[in-house]
Amino acid sequence: MQGAWCDSPAPRGIGFCGDRTACLRPASASKKQGFLYFAAWLRAYPGSSTVSRRNSLYLELTNPLKSMDRITLSQYRRILFFTGAGMSAESGVPTYRGKGGVWKEYDYEEYACQKAFDRNPEKVLRFHELRRQAVLDCLPHEGHRVIAGIPGVKVITQNIDGMHQRAGSEGVIELHGTLWRLRCDRCRTVVEDHGKSYETLKCACGAWLRPDIIWFGDMLDPVVVRKAKRSVEECDLFISIGTSGTVWPAAGFPALAREWGAYCIEINPEPSGGREYHRTIAGNAGAVLPELFIF
Ligand code: OAD
């Protein structure tokens, strides 16, 4: 029974007895060991987000089996997360490809290209407004918060949903733009707009405002791409999360990071199998990230 004292002997020091659903601490532990053990227990149960960094260290000391696979962040000076739609999947934001993917349900030629916008701007804007509403109904998950909590970390995302920022990440490089900005291609005005509904669909100059995101056939902003590439080249730990690696130039970033000497990790329930990764973790971002690091 969870929460009861455990009488099973622990295999090592004050490690778990092996039964993760029942074990709280070994019966033979002293008070101090009990505290250490409780810290490890907190860390081991998903949702026990109150665990402190010190407790994580206790887990490292007390649970060597688990710690073997964990990453000691202090070994790296420039950590970079590179995220795709899978990063937001556990928040409830649909991915693009695969089952339930946006491009399975909607034809991008109707909603996500300049031609579609030129044909019927209001229809395209309403589609993106619905996506904004769906995103605002979702919340960042523990994985977003773990990333935001790592000091000095950089984030490059292909996502346009703003989830990293809502979790507290700063300086996020948004390769494909954002749902929360509109621009006028006639007079170059850029408008921030964060509500469920657009404040206005038209620019003061009279032209339609368009979502400031990269659609099919669009060029990426070269300034943003340069900044992203520089970060990739500079990092010493590159962690790719939740991307199918099908859209360029983003798809080339893992290989670039490896080429420049970074240790490369992929987190994805369906790993790409890319040879540029030193390590692949087949799992969901929201479950893996809170377990992965030793601060
Ligand atoms: P995709 O939809 O192509 O791929 C999502 C990836 O996330 C897949 O590899 C899934 O296996 C993985 N995944 C699913 N759930 C996950 C989870 N809980 N944790 C971790 N990974 C998970 O999305 P992207 O690669 O981001 O472009 O797509 C790239 C670009 O294509 C998007 O930015 C978008 C789209 O067209 C624009 O909007 C410009």
Side-chain angles (χ1 to χ4, degrees):
M1 184 181 65
Q2 188 173 324
W5 295 111
C6 176
D7 286 323
S8 315
R12 287 247 226 148
I14 54 170
F16 288 104
C17 72
D19 184 350
R20 280 169 60 93
T21 57
C23 175
L24 181 59
R25 51 152 262 181
S28 59
S30 68
K31 260 191 187 169
K32 187 178 165 203
Q33 284 175 321
F35 170 70
L36 293 177
Y37 191 81
F38 186 60
W41 178 83
L42 269 179
R43 188 71 183 89
Y45 281 93
S48 59
S49 56
T50 48
V51 68
S52 69
R53 289 177 185 189
R54 185 176 292 178
N55 290 344
S56 300
L57 179 63
Y58 286 144
L59 181 67
E60 157 72 348
L61 295 172
T62 57
N63 194 348
L65 284 178
K66 244 175 113 52
S67 69
M68 265 201 312
D69 291 325
R70 300 172 77 214
I71 295 165
T72 304
L73 282 177
S74 57
Q75 287 177 351
Y76 298 95
R77 292 190 17 246
R78 290 176 299 273
I79 299 159
L80 175 73
F81 288 91
F82 168 61
T83 63
M87 181 70 215
S88 297
E90 286 150 280
S91 290
V93 182
T95 60
Y96 290 96
R97 297 167 184 82
K99 205 169 153 231
V102 173
W103 304 141
K104 289 259 184 254
E105 205 174 325
Y106 296 96
D107 183 355
Y108 77 85
E109 290 184 334
E110 288 288 309
Y111 299 101
C113 63
Q114 186 63 43
K115 272 190 189 157
F117 185 73
D118 293 342
R119 240 182 354 252
N120 192 341
E122 203 163 359
K123 177 177 164 183
V124 170
L125 281 161
R126 292 298 170 211
F127 167 75
H128 287 86
E129 199 167 47
L130 283 178
R131 294 194 63 197
R132 284 157 57 110
Q133 289 167 8
V135 168
L136 287 180
D137 287 339
C138 301
L139 291 171
H141 58 68
E142 193 58 21
H144 290 107
R145 281 187 281 275
V146 168
I147 292 175
I150 299 174
V153 76
K154 289 203 176 170
V155 179
I156 300 175
T157 189
Q158 298 169 82
N159 299 344
I160 56 175
D161 57 23
M163 281 291 179
H164 284 295
Q165 291 90 330
R166 279 169 71 192
S169 285
E170 290 176 358
V172 177
I173 299 175
E174 293 175 308
L175 266 186
H176 294 163
T178 172
L179 275 171
W180 313 108
R181 206 167 54 222
L182 294 155
R183 68 166 198 253
C184 173
D185 280 345
R186 187 197 286 169
C187 71
R188 304 281 160 209
T189 298
V190 175
V191 185
E192 296 270 336
D193 186 328
H194 294 269
K196 273 203 172 184
S197 306
Y198 289 121
E199 263 180 42
T200 173
L201 301 185
K202 289 220 173 158
C203 179
C205 77
W208 288 95
L209 289 165
R210 77 155 258 184
D212 194 11
I213 60 183
I214 305 296
W215 284 331
F216 287 87
D218 287 350
M219 294 290 288
L220 272 70
D221 180 339
V223 176
V224 176
V225 174
R226 248 196 322 275
K227 196 171 163 194
K229 280 190 170 165
R230 201 177 317 125
S231 299
V232 172
E233 289 165 3
E234 284 171 0
C235 75
D236 57 0
L237 176 61
F238 178 95
I239 304 179
S240 162
I241 306 174
T243 176
S244 58
T246 44
V247 174
W248 291 79
F253 285 1
L256 185 66
R258 170 114 190 197
E259 196 183 316
W260 280 73
Y263 185 73
C264 299
I265 298 175
E266 179 182 26
I267 300 173
N268 193 321
E270 294 170 39
S272 65
R275 291 175 60 194
E276 56 274 28
Y277 294 109
H278 294 93
R279 181 175 170 197
T280 292
I281 303 172
N284 290 337
V288 171
L289 284 168
E291 296 293 330
L292 190 59
F293 301 113
I294 298 163
F295 288 87

PDB file of all heavy atoms in Angstrom, residues 237-251:
ATOM      1  N   LEU A 237      25.743  20.421 -25.082  1.00  0.00           N
ATOM      2  CA  LEU A 237      24.731  19.370 -24.893  1.00  0.00           C
ATOM      3  C   LEU A 237      23.506  19.771 -25.704  1.00  0.00           C
ATOM      4  O   LEU A 237      22.928  20.847 -25.498  1.00  0.00           O
ATOM      5  CB  LEU A 237      24.359  19.227 -23.408  1.00  0.00           C
ATOM      6  CG  LEU A 237      23.241  18.225 -23.100  1.00  0.00           C
ATOM      7  CD1 LEU A 237      23.627  16.806 -23.527  1.00  0.00           C
ATOM      8  CD2 LEU A 237      22.888  18.225 -21.607  1.00  0.00           C
ATOM      9  N   PHE A 238      23.148  18.913 -26.639  1.00  0.00           N
ATOM     10  CA  PHE A 238      22.036  19.207 -27.540  1.00  0.00           C
ATOM     11  C   PHE A 238      20.954  18.163 -27.288  1.00  0.00           C
ATOM     12  O   PHE A 238      21.185  16.967 -27.457  1.00  0.00           O
ATOM     13  CB  PHE A 238      22.550  19.124 -28.982  1.00  0.00           C
ATOM     14  CG  PHE A 238      21.494  19.347 -30.038  1.00  0.00           C
ATOM     15  CD1 PHE A 238      21.291  20.603 -30.594  1.00  0.00           C
ATOM     16  CD2 PHE A 238      20.717  18.290 -30.505  1.00  0.00           C
ATOM     17  CE1 PHE A 238      20.335  20.805 -31.583  1.00  0.00           C
ATOM     18  CE2 PHE A 238      19.756  18.477 -31.487  1.00  0.00           C
ATOM     19  CZ  PHE A 238      19.567  19.745 -32.033  1.00  0.00           C
ATOM     20  N   ILE A 239      19.768  18.625 -26.889  1.00  0.00           N
ATOM     21  CA  ILE A 239      18.690  17.674 -26.592  1.00  0.00           C
ATOM     22  C   ILE A 239      17.504  17.976 -27.500  1.00  0.00           C
ATOM     23  O   ILE A 239      16.866  19.028 -27.398  1.00  0.00           O
ATOM     24  CB  ILE A 239      18.271  17.755 -25.111  1.00  0.00           C
ATOM     25  CG1 ILE A 239      19.497  17.516 -24.220  1.00  0.00           C
ATOM     26  CG2 ILE A 239      17.187  16.723 -24.808  1.00  0.00           C
ATOM     27  CD1 ILE A 239      19.209  17.600 -22.738  1.00  0.00           C
ATOM     28  N   SER A 240      17.254  17.040 -28.388  1.00  0.00           N
ATOM     29  CA  SER A 240      16.147  17.193 -29.331  1.00  0.00           C
ATOM     30  C   SER A 240      14.921  16.489 -28.750  1.00  0.00           C
ATOM     31  O   SER A 240      15.005  15.348 -28.294  1.00  0.00           O
ATOM     32  CB  SER A 240      16.570  16.555 -30.657  1.00  0.00           C
ATOM     33  OG  SER A 240      15.435  16.310 -31.452  1.00  0.00           O
ATOM     34  N   ILE A 241      13.790  17.182 -28.779  1.00  0.00           N
ATOM     35  CA  ILE A 241      12.581  16.595 -28.174  1.00  0.00           C
ATOM     36  C   ILE A 241      11.382  16.736 -29.105  1.00  0.00           C
ATOM     37  O   ILE A 241      11.035  17.855 -29.530  1.00  0.00           O
ATOM     38  CB  ILE A 241      12.228  17.298 -26.840  1.00  0.00           C
ATOM     39  CG1 ILE A 241      13.438  17.290 -25.893  1.00  0.00           C
ATOM     40  CG2 ILE A 241      11.037  16.618 -26.171  1.00  0.00           C
ATOM     41  CD1 ILE A 241      13.210  18.082 -24.623  1.00  0.00           C
ATOM     42  N   GLY A 242      10.764  15.607 -29.412  1.00  0.00           N
ATOM     43  CA  GLY A 242       9.456  15.632 -30.070  1.00  0.00           C
ATOM     44  C   GLY A 242       9.410  16.238 -31.444  1.00  0.00           C
ATOM     45  O   GLY A 242       8.489  16.992 -31.759  1.00  0.00           O
ATOM     46  N   THR A 243      10.391  15.899 -32.269  1.00  0.00           N
ATOM     47  CA  THR A 243      10.294  16.350 -33.662  1.00  0.00           C
ATOM     48  C   THR A 243      10.531  15.182 -34.611  1.00  0.00           C
ATOM     49  O   THR A 243      11.369  14.319 -34.343  1.00  0.00           O
ATOM     50  CB  THR A 243      11.282  17.507 -33.966  1.00  0.00           C
ATOM     51  OG1 THR A 243      11.195  17.840 -35.354  1.00  0.00           O
ATOM     52  CG2 THR A 243      12.719  17.171 -33.598  1.00  0.00           C
ATOM     53  N   SER A 244       9.775  15.188 -35.704  1.00  0.00           N
ATOM     54  CA  SER A 244       9.923  14.102 -36.670  1.00  0.00           C
ATOM     55  C   SER A 244      11.128  14.347 -37.572  1.00  0.00           C
ATOM     56  O   SER A 244      11.514  13.481 -38.356  1.00  0.00           O
ATOM     57  CB  SER A 244       8.649  13.971 -37.520  1.00  0.00           C
ATOM     58  OG  SER A 244       8.400  15.201 -38.180  1.00  0.00           O
ATOM     59  N   GLY A 245      11.704  15.557 -37.505  1.00  0.00           N
ATOM     60  CA  GLY A 245      12.902  15.858 -38.291  1.00  0.00           C
ATOM     61  C   GLY A 245      12.643  15.845 -39.785  1.00  0.00           C
ATOM     62  O   GLY A 245      13.491  15.427 -40.566  1.00  0.00           O
ATOM     63  N   THR A 246      11.470  16.337 -40.170  1.00  0.00           N
ATOM     64  CA  THR A 246      11.133  16.289 -41.592  1.00  0.00           C
ATOM     65  C   THR A 246      11.190  17.656 -42.260  1.00  0.00           C
ATOM     66  O   THR A 246      11.118  17.751 -43.481  1.00  0.00           O
ATOM     67  CB  THR A 246       9.710  15.720 -41.802  1.00  0.00           C
ATOM     68  OG1 THR A 246       8.851  16.316 -40.841  1.00  0.00           O
ATOM     69  CG2 THR A 246       9.665  14.229 -41.664  1.00  0.00           C
ATOM     70  N   VAL A 247      11.264  18.719 -41.435  1.00  0.00           N
ATOM     71  CA  VAL A 247      11.199  20.055 -42.015  1.00  0.00           C
ATOM     72  C   VAL A 247      12.562  20.747 -41.893  1.00  0.00           C
ATOM     73  O   VAL A 247      13.120  20.849 -40.810  1.00  0.00           O
ATOM     74  CB  VAL A 247      10.091  20.877 -41.313  1.00  0.00           C
ATOM     75  CG1 VAL A 247      10.104  22.320 -41.784  1.00  0.00           C
ATOM     76  CG2 VAL A 247       8.729  20.262 -41.581  1.00  0.00           C
ATOM     77  N   TRP A 248      13.062  21.226 -43.004  1.00  0.00           N
ATOM     78  CA  TRP A 248      14.364  21.887 -43.048  1.00  0.00           C
ATOM     79  C   TRP A 248      14.198  23.393 -42.972  1.00  0.00           C
ATOM     80  O   TRP A 248      13.156  23.893 -43.340  1.00  0.00           O
ATOM     81  CB  TRP A 248      15.094  21.485 -44.339  1.00  0.00           C
ATOM     82  CG  TRP A 248      15.483  20.047 -44.304  1.00  0.00           C
ATOM     83  CD1 TRP A 248      14.677  18.977 -44.547  1.00  0.00           C
ATOM     84  CD2 TRP A 248      16.757  19.521 -43.949  1.00  0.00           C
ATOM     85  NE1 TRP A 248      15.373  17.807 -44.372  1.00  0.00           N
ATOM     86  CE2 TRP A 248      16.658  18.108 -44.016  1.00  0.00           C
ATOM     87  CE3 TRP A 248      17.980  20.099 -43.587  1.00  0.00           C
ATOM     88  CZ2 TRP A 248      17.737  17.272 -43.725  1.00  0.00           C
ATOM     89  CZ3 TRP A 248      19.038  19.256 -43.312  1.00  0.00           C
ATOM     90  CH2 TRP A 248      18.911  17.861 -43.371  1.00  0.00           C
ATOM     91  N   PRO A 249      15.191  24.110 -42.454  1.00  0.00           N
ATOM     92  CA  PRO A 249      16.527  23.667 -42.056  1.00  0.00           C
ATOM     93  C   PRO A 249      16.601  23.031 -40.663  1.00  0.00           C
ATOM     94  O   PRO A 249      17.638  22.511 -40.291  1.00  0.00           O
ATOM     95  CB  PRO A 249      17.342  24.965 -42.085  1.00  0.00           C
ATOM     96  CG  PRO A 249      16.356  26.024 -41.734  1.00  0.00           C
ATOM     97  CD  PRO A 249      15.048  25.584 -42.319  1.00  0.00           C
ATOM     98  N   ALA A 250      15.478  23.077 -39.909  1.00  0.00           N
ATOM     99  CA  ALA A 250      15.515  22.560 -38.535  1.00  0.00           C
ATOM    100  C   ALA A 250      16.017  21.116 -38.486  1.00  0.00           C
ATOM    101  O   ALA A 250      16.774  20.727 -37.592  1.00  0.00           O
ATOM    102  CB  ALA A 250      14.119  22.652 -37.919  1.00  0.00           C
ATOM    103  N   ALA A 251      15.621  20.322 -39.482  1.00  0.00           N
ATOM    104  CA  ALA A 251      15.971  18.898 -39.478  1.00  0.00           C
ATOM    105  C   ALA A 251      17.486  18.680 -39.501  1.00  0.00           C
ATOM    106  O   ALA A 251      17.972  17.614 -39.111  1.00  0.00           O
ATOM    107  CB  ALA A 251      15.319  18.222 -40.683  1.00  0.00           C
TER     108      ALA A 251
END
